[in-house]
Amino acid sequence: MLSVEELTDRLIDLSFAEDIGDGDHTTLCCIPDDAMGKSRLIVKEDGILAGVEVAKEVFRRFDPTMQVEVLIHDGAEVKKGDIAMIVSGKVQSLLQTERLMLNIMQRMSGIATMTHKYQQALIDAGTKTRVLDTRKTTPGMRMLEKEAVKIGGGMNHRIGLFDMILLKDNHVDFAGGIHNAISRAKEYCKAKGKDLKIEIEVRNFKELEEALAEKPDRIMFDNFTPEDTEKAVKMVNHQCETESSGGITYDTMIPYAKAGVDYISFGALTHSVKGLDLSFKAC
């Protein structure tokens, strides 16, 4: 399995290949090879900054002679007009790295900002519920998007299909029920020597009772109402972790959190986020 660093390197290489192709002819035609300059990263709206460390890697991989002065680090609250970093080096390099760096940082900062908003609202409501992401991510950018969720104060549900077992409704139906799905998951982990958490999605109280008998690590309440969620949490009674999922939004999440679930998962953190407005200007 590729490491986070290896996946990031591949993403950067692919991104440069699709953007620059056989050359940035706009830059090459009008900027001398030996021209030197500086650009600054300007924050254009309030939010949470994310992607600084990835941006440094973008610059390093394209041109190791570029110098990066970081003024604001990942996870910091930023205001419109803040200067996050100053980058010095060949003007050609500054121009050719600008768009990729901005694409990454704007998206990661948007995700971190939204995650922070959700998590802070749950804290302000007096709950201990944690915000989770999902696998509804941009292909190729999952590691960066999930890192942005953590920077914003949320938690990663799982990275992919390899680091946790999540038995959803289709798995349960194809396996022939809750008992079969969980027992087979446990047998599989034992046979393969895998130490993986097992989570099961339930759609009603009958399935919840069946799941509790099998002692999974976490139970997900799918499309439960807040009232049914509160009843379900009481039935679980701390026997395992609990999670709410299914169409829950920022505007509807507080009653679910007050029902006592440990986690609420939101696909919107990564599939519907607006990037934070940033610009990279000569200085």
Side-chain angles (χ1 to χ4, degrees):
M1 185 175 68
L2 294 175
S3 66
V4 174
E5 292 76 15
E6 289 171 326
L7 286 168
T8 302
D9 287 347
R10 286 192 176 192
L11 171 63
I12 292 172
D13 290 341
L14 177 60
S15 299
F16 277 133
E18 72 178 0
D19 195 35
I20 296 176
D22 69 345
D24 173 9
H25 303 304
T26 306
T27 294
L28 297 176
C29 77
C30 62
I31 304 297
D33 180 64
D34 59 353
M36 305 297 288
K38 291 183 180 181
S39 291
R40 56 183 182 169
L41 182 65
I42 305 170
V43 178
K44 301 182 72 175
E45 63 178 318
D46 298 354
I48 303 296
L49 193 68
V52 173
E53 292 303 312
V54 183
K56 288 165 60 178
E57 187 64 14
V58 168
F59 296 131
R60 186 194 70 79
R61 286 182 65 79
F62 188 82
D63 180 352
T65 68
M66 299 176 78
Q67 299 295 313
V68 182
E69 180 186 1
V70 176
L71 304 177
I72 304 176
H73 294 272
D74 283 332
E77 291 191 35
V78 290
K79 300 292 185 182
K80 181 179 179 180
D82 285 346
I83 307 301
M85 69 174 70
I86 298 174
V87 186
S88 308
K90 291 182 178 180
V91 175
Q92 287 188 354
S93 297
L94 291 171
L95 291 169
Q96 291 178 93
T97 54
E98 173 185 345
R99 179 43 53 197
L100 175 56
M101 178 276 294
L102 285 173
N103 285 349
I104 289 172
M105 287 203 64
Q106 287 179 310
R107 182 154 186 83
M108 289 186 69
S109 297
I111 291 169
T113 298
M114 181 182 282
T115 302
H116 176 78
K117 175 184 175 181
Y118 279 49
Q119 187 62 68
Q120 191 59 51
L122 293 178
I123 293 171
D124 292 344
T127 80
K128 296 181 179 180
T129 304
R130 297 299 305 273
V131 170
L132 290 180
D133 55 23
T134 70
R135 287 171 50 239
K136 297 174 183 178
T137 56
T138 308
M141 287 195 66
R142 178 172 298 176
M143 293 301 188
L144 302 187
E145 293 180 348
K146 283 183 170 284
E147 178 62 22
V149 168
K150 291 196 295 183
I151 290 172
M155 296 180 66
N156 295 153
H157 187 282
R158 53 177 176 163
I159 300 301
L161 297 173
F162 55 88
D163 59 333
M164 182 179 181
I165 290 177
L166 173 51
L167 302 164
K168 294 181 72 69
D169 52 357
N170 282 335
H171 297 96
V172 171
D173 291 342
F174 280 124
I178 297 285
H179 168 74
N180 287 349
I182 297 179
S183 61
R184 289 175 186 174
K186 290 181 177 180
E187 290 167 4
Y188 175 89
C189 288
K190 183 177 181 180
K192 299 292 184 179
K194 297 285 187 182
D195 183 20
L196 298 173
K197 272 193 170 184
I198 298 174
E199 179 173 8
I200 184 83
E201 178 183 85
V202 299
R203 294 163 284 192
N204 51 57
F205 290 107
K206 180 178 182 296
E207 288 190 342
L208 175 56
E209 290 177 350
E210 293 173 356
L212 285 171
E214 303 299 328
K215 295 180 170 52
D217 297 292
R218 186 185 300 172
I219 296 176
M220 176 193 293
F221 310 132
D222 181 48
N223 288 304
F224 278 39
T225 64
E227 294 74 22
D228 283 346
T229 300
E230 184 175 6
K231 179 180 176 182
V233 168
K234 290 178 180 178
M235 287 176 62
V236 173
N237 192 27
H238 305 292
Q239 295 177 67
C240 64
E241 297 176 335
T242 57
E243 176 185 343
S244 285
S245 181
I248 301 172
T249 68
Y250 178 82
D251 294 327
T252 64
M253 67 182 182
I254 299 300
Y256 288 92
K258 288 189 173 181
V261 291
D262 297 307
Y263 305 101
I264 302 176
S265 51
F266 300 93
L269 296 179
T270 50
H271 72 56
S272 298
V273 70
K274 173 189 171 294
L276 191 72
D277 196 4
L278 307 169
S279 65
F280 198 48
K281 297 298 184 182
C283 60

